[in-house]
């Protein structure tokens, strides 16, 4: 497919502030690899779209993609929604990528409202790879590179069940969203429930498991299932609501570390210091929370690797038309998950916080 004419971006980094999407343009100064028509002088042009511009998970993903782009002389445009609820900002970034004639889009999508724009990009000839957040269906994109979010939840659930040592689990489940369905939300939550040894009922739906019963080592009660929007203030207010319902909560599942930090603040304010708080991400601040005893365990992901592999996949696709394929038995390219804790549970593989800090982002 012949590329349309384009204006080359300026040879410096530009930050455009005050918009609903934060955009940065990165460009090199020498000719690079072939474009989508195989021309020898065209550079590869990639747009990376994250959920928001500030969260350390997404900035780590940008760092990995930026390094790969610099190493391979790729023009990289980075855009984001203003927060994890902003689909319109992501849609505008997709439309901009189409208008520029980019080769590909790498996207961590903000929910199904973005689906039509993704389809429009593929119809325009762009390669679209989902990073971190699978689309529904997966076939909406050309490939998906992500952590196994269900397994991430399962690991911290298994750790929690083992760490309780048979005590009753009085559980608060702090999810991401209450107003939309995003796959990683139910995957992490339902993975945690399954890891605890609780029947998840429909593992595609949060909150439909039995409120009381037995887990793998004893009795449980689920006090609440609250949305946090993945934010610290959302985590704090959600935890406050849960404690109002039952101040005896001793297990807190948080879908991400940012909301987990808010939950810890609410627990401290209530004078509760012995609850087991677990989370998913693996940032340096999150692993430090393991060191400090605020989090009992964290499932560590590797967003920098997602960004790096995404850019490298686009380069290969431009060169020979090949699309990255998952390993046998998987329907996505697995970028890895590791359990980090300083209180290991027998029979469950983990690394300590010192090693986690070496691998954090």
């Amino acid at each position: 497919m012949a590329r349309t004419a384009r204006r080359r971006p300026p040879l410096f980094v530009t930050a455009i502030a005050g918009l609903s999407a934060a955009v940065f343009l990165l460009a090199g100064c020498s000719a690079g690899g072939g474009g989508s028509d195989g021309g020898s002088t065209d550079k590869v042009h990639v747009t990376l779209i994250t959920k928001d511009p500030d969260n350390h998970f997404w900035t780590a993903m940008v760092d990995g993609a930026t390094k790969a782009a610099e190493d391979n002389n790729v023009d990289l445009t980075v855009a984001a929604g203003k927060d994890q609820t902003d689909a319109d900002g992501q849609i505008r970034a997709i439309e901009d990528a189409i208008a520029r004639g980019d080769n590909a889009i790498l996207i961590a999508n903000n929910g199904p409202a973005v689906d039509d724009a993704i389809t429009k990009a593929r119809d325009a000839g762009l390669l679209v790879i989902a990073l971190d957040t699978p689309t529904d269906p997966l076939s909406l994109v050309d490939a998906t590179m992500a952590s196994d979010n269900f397994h991430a939840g399962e690991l911290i659930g298994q750790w929690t069940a083992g760490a309780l040592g048979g005590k009753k689990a009085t559980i608060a489940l702090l999810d991401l969203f209450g107003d939309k369905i995003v796959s990683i939300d139910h995957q992490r939550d339902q993975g945690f429930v399954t890891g605890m040894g609780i029947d998840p009922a429909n593992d595609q739906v949060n909150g439909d498991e039995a409120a009381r019963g037995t887990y793998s080592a004893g009795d449980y009660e689920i006090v609440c299932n609250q949305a946090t929007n993945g934010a610290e203030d959302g985590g704090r207010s959600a935890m406050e609501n849960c404690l109002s319902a039952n101040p005896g909560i001793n297990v807190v599942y948080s879908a991400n570390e940012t909301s987990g930090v808010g939950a810890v603040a609410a627990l401290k304010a209530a004078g509760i210091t012995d609850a087991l708080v677990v989370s998913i991400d693996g940032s340096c601040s999150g692993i430090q929370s393991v060191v400090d005893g605020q989090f009992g365990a964290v499932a560590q992901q590797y967003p920098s690797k997602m960004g790096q592999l995404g850019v490298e996949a686009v380069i290969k696709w431009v060169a020979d038309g090949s699309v990255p394929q998952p390993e046998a038995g998987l329907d996505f390219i697995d970028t890895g998950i590791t359990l980090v804790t300083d209180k290991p549970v027998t029979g469950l593989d983990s690394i300590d916080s010192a090693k986690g800090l070496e691998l954090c982002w």
Side-chain angles (χ1 to χ4, degrees):
M1 180 181 71
R3 289 182 59 81
T4 56
R6 63 156 64 230
R7 179 175 61 85
R8 185 172 296 278
L11 303 183
F12 53 85
V13 178
T14 302
I16 305 174
L19 302 177
S20 63
V23 181
F24 306 89
L25 302 181
L26 308 176
C29 58
S30 59
S36 60
D37 62 355
S40 60
T41 60
D42 276 350
K43 294 182 74 170
V44 175
H45 299 263
V46 180
T47 288
L48 169 61
I49 305 170
T50 65
K51 292 177 184 284
D52 70 55
D54 301 318
N55 184 284
H56 42 263
F57 187 92
W58 310 117
T59 57
M61 183 179 288
V62 170
D63 289 344
T66 300
K67 179 65 164 56
E70 291 171 347
D71 289 347
N72 292 281
N73 197 30
V74 169
D75 277 344
L76 179 68
T77 301
V78 179
K82 65 179 182 293
D83 57 38
Q84 297 195 53
T85 68
D86 179 21
D88 289 341
Q90 291 196 325
I91 290 168
R92 285 192 291 274
I94 292 171
E95 291 172 345
D96 289 345
I98 296 170
R100 280 192 301 270
D102 283 2
N103 297 89
I105 291 170
L106 310 173
I107 183 167
N109 73 88
N110 272 344
V114 185
D115 289 359
D116 287 347
I118 290 174
T119 299
K120 183 178 177 181
R122 292 186 72 192
D123 288 346
L126 281 72
L127 179 76
V128 180
I129 296 176
L131 300 184
D132 175 70
T133 306
T135 54
D136 185 13
L138 285 170
S139 59
L140 187 70
V141 294
D142 293 287
T144 300
M145 296 179 173
S147 305
D148 187 333
N149 284 286
F150 186 90
H151 184 52
E154 190 175 32
L155 284 173
I156 56 175
Q158 290 170 337
W159 180 87
T160 301
L164 282 167
K167 288 192 242 180
K168 180 181 177 181
T170 306
I171 306 168
L173 298 174
L174 305 187
D175 296 319
L176 294 175
F177 306 113
D179 58 349
K180 61 182 176 180
I181 298 173
V182 177
S183 56
I184 65 168
D185 199 3
H186 67 73
Q187 287 167 355
R188 293 179 180 190
D189 176 294
Q190 298 295 278
F192 174 79
V193 169
T194 300
M196 283 283 294
I198 299 170
D199 183 353
N202 183 346
D203 66 6
Q204 304 298 304
V205 177
N206 288 347
D208 67 337
E209 57 274 335
R212 293 175 179 81
T214 57
Y215 72 99
S216 59
D219 295 331
Y220 78 85
E221 176 186 358
I222 296 175
V223 174
C224 59
N225 197 289
Q226 291 271 314
T228 67
N229 285 328
E232 184 172 343
D233 59 348
R236 179 162 188 157
S237 61
M239 192 70 240
E240 290 170 346
N241 292 338
C242 294
L243 289 170
S244 294
N246 188 331
I249 290 168
N250 63 352
V251 170
V252 179
Y253 155 83
S254 58
N256 70 346
E257 290 170 352
T258 307
S259 60
V261 168
V264 168
L267 289 165
K268 283 185 176 179
I272 299 170
T273 59
D274 57 353
L276 297 177
V277 182
V278 293
S279 197
I280 299 169
D281 271 346
S283 70
C284 295
S285 61
I287 302 303
Q288 187 60 47
S289 291
V290 175
V291 176
D292 296 340
Q294 296 176 339
F295 291 167
V298 165
Q300 187 171 58
Q301 301 177 289
Y302 304 102
S304 178
K305 184 177 180 181
M306 296 178 200
Q308 170 200 334
L309 293 179
V311 170
E312 291 173 352
V314 175
I315 295 167
K316 185 167 175 50
W317 176 76
V318 170
D320 62 19
S322 62
V323 176
Q325 298 297 317
E327 295 180 9
L330 295 177
D331 51 14
F332 64 97
I333 292 92
D334 189 353
T335 55
I337 283 285
T338 308
L339 180 68
V340 183
T341 182
D342 287 334
K343 299 177 180 178
V345 166
T346 301
L348 189 60
D349 289 340
S350 63
I351 60 175
D352 63 19
S353 60
K355 183 64 175 178
L357 286 172
E358 292 179 14
L359 300 173
C360 69
W361 32 272

